[in-house]
Amino acid sequence: MLITFAFVVAGVGQVISQRAPGKIKPLVNGLYTADPSAHVFNGKIYIYPSHDVEADVPQDDEGGHFQMRDYHVYSMDKIGGKVTDHGVVLDVKDVPWADKQMWAPDAAYKNGTYFFYFPAKDKEGVFRIGVATSKSPAGPFKPEAKPIEGSYSIDPAVFTDTDGKTYMYFGGIWGGQLQRWHTGTYDKTLMTDLGKGQENEPALSAKIALMKDNMLSFAAPLRDVQILDENGKPLLAGDTNRRFFEGAWLHKYNGKYYFSYSTGDTHLLCYAEGTSPYGPFTYKGVIMNPVEGWTTHHSIVEFKGKWYLYYHDSEVSGKTHLRNVKVRELLRDSNGNIKTINP
């Protein structure tokens, strides 16, 4: 059974109240929000989305029309309940190294501090990943003066395992610039994937980094997140319905690690299973079929014994760069396989 919501807008510090159930509606209507990373802190769900704005930039394959400049944080006491907007928690003008395009963020908690991770282009136009801190999950967050050393590309997603170790997953091709680092150094000439004629090569991989205990830097060299097919072979670059594009997320269920992601230009949310946070992960299926709008980006969170999928679409604006966040229940079969959602 799917859960349906509709909300009306409120200002900073106010709540957004539920209307009568109907078609699943956005959690926030006063702002355009996307890329929702949801976490449970102190018994509440906190949502860390990007904040879409209209910048009148032509659409292109590198995402130049996504010109986000700041972040809001939202919280919910319960699914279907009130949503609180905690206002702007970080602005690009307050980040010394960042120039523009504050894309999909994530958050984590360790040792009394909340950590907010975000990608942005630096002054040279290269995506890096920054970190900011707060004593409250609702921010505001104070950024570090420099991006995380060794970081690049987009879409940081942070997972802390039951043993206390924390990992960051990140990367995105095309506008996310992951392909530009394929040789180990930045190559601006690589625009989308590996290039024509390389469809039968292994697909580009998301990256994983073990985090230091201070959560501000990487503790080990980056490793590839390998996704295998049913025969144990790496997914190929030409397998666009299954290969990784962007939007990595990791969650753990019944001892298994579920790596989920967007296929980008084929507009699917997919997942793969593994027995270690490092993988390898075996492709299992589709979480969600295409939504309205070009992009798909999500998070998966457990709350009071049920699992939920946070995602976005373009229902309100009809424009792919002006999106709205939604939530619905995530269902599984008896073997733990995720049931595909038709939005």
Side-chain angles (χ1 to χ4, degrees):
M1 179 179 180
L2 298 178
I3 298 185
T4 56
F5 306 92
F7 298 86
V8 296
V9 73
V12 174
Q14 295 177 304
V15 296
I16 304 167
S17 301
Q18 186 180 10
R19 294 185 186 140
K23 181 182 177 182
I24 291 180
K25 293 296 181 181
L27 296 180
V28 180
N29 287 323
L31 298 174
Y32 291 112
T33 54
D35 312 315
S37 292
H39 293 273
V40 177
F41 297 131
N42 305 323
K44 293 184 179 182
I45 298 175
Y46 284 85
I47 309 162
Y48 302 87
S50 54
H51 173 200
D52 286 349
V53 295
E54 181 57 83
D56 295 319
V57 175
Q59 182 171 335
D60 59 44
D61 286 343
E62 294 194 325
H65 47 307
F66 295 103
Q67 290 287 329
M68 301 84 111
R69 299 187 292 266
D70 61 26
Y71 297 102
H72 284 238
V73 171
Y74 299 87
S75 64
M76 306 173 68
D77 290 320
K78 62 181 180 179
I79 298 293
K82 297 175 180 179
V83 178
T84 299
D85 179 0
H86 297 279
V88 175
V89 299
L90 184 65
D91 192 292
V92 69
K93 69 179 186 293
D94 298 321
V95 182
W97 61 268
D99 182 47
K100 62 181 180 179
Q101 290 183 289
M102 301 183 85
W103 286 10
D106 195 18
Y109 172 80
K110 185 170 281 190
N111 299 329
T113 299
Y114 295 90
F115 298 86
F116 184 78
Y117 300 94
F118 61 96
K121 282 184 178 175
D122 64 16
K123 311 300 183 182
E124 286 73 47
V126 179
F127 267 116
R128 304 288 183 180
I129 296 173
V131 56
T133 57
S134 176
K135 291 300 180 182
S136 167
F141 291 90
K142 181 180 179 180
E144 296 292 301
K146 296 180 179 180
I148 297 174
E149 185 175 357
S151 70
Y152 53 83
S153 197
I154 60 170
D155 295 353
V158 180
F159 168 78
T160 299
D161 207 349
T162 49
D163 62 2
K165 292 182 179 179
T166 300
Y167 306 84
M168 178 185 289
Y169 301 80
F170 65 88
I173 60 175
W174 294 27
Q177 301 180 344
L178 183 63
Q179 72 281 353
R180 296 184 179 182
W181 295 92
H182 178 56
T183 62
T185 57
Y186 186 76
D187 181 354
K188 190 176 181 178
T189 66
L190 296 175
M191 303 300 290
T192 54
D193 295 78
L194 288 173
K196 292 187 180 299
Q198 300 196 47
E199 291 83 3
N200 291 322
E201 296 293 323
L204 291 167
S205 300
K207 305 300 179 184
I208 178 174
L210 177 68
M211 302 295 293
K212 289 185 178 179
D213 286 341
N214 65 11
M215 301 287 279
L216 301 176
S217 56
F218 298 154
L222 301 179
R223 292 168 60 168
D224 288 343
V225 179
Q226 194 172 45
I227 306 174
L228 307 178
D229 65 16
E230 62 277 10
N231 298 313
K233 302 293 184 181
L235 295 184
L236 302 181
D239 190 355
T240 55
N241 282 326
R242 297 194 296 177
R243 63 89 169 90
F244 170 81
F245 188 103
E246 63 185 2
W249 189 261
L250 193 86
H251 73 280
K252 193 174 184 179
Y253 176 79
N254 283 354
K256 293 181 180 179
Y257 297 86
Y258 289 69
F259 180 77
S260 49
Y261 57 95
S262 170
T263 63
D265 56 338
T266 51
H267 320 298
L268 299 169
L269 283 180
C270 295
Y271 77 102
E273 286 182 12
T275 57
S276 162
Y278 280 115
F281 299 93
T282 300
Y283 178 86
K284 297 295 290 185
V286 174
I287 297 174
M288 178 179 275
N289 284 320
V291 299
E292 182 177 352
W294 197 93
T295 69
T296 303
H297 192 116
H298 73 299
S299 60
I300 295 170
V301 65
E302 182 182 16
F303 187 64
K304 296 184 177 179
K306 292 185 177 182
W307 288 85
Y308 296 94
L309 176 74
Y310 282 78
Y311 64 103
H312 66 235
D313 63 22
S314 300
E315 176 193 347
V316 174
S317 71
K319 298 179 179 180
T320 190
H321 63 291
L322 299 175
R323 298 158 293 179
N324 35 261
V325 168
K326 297 183 175 181
V327 62
R328 63 203 303 165
E329 190 173 352
L330 187 77
L331 301 177
R332 308 172 195 259
D333 65 20
S334 58
N335 294 318
N337 298 316
I338 296 173
K339 296 184 178 181
T340 301
I341 295 170
N342 292 308

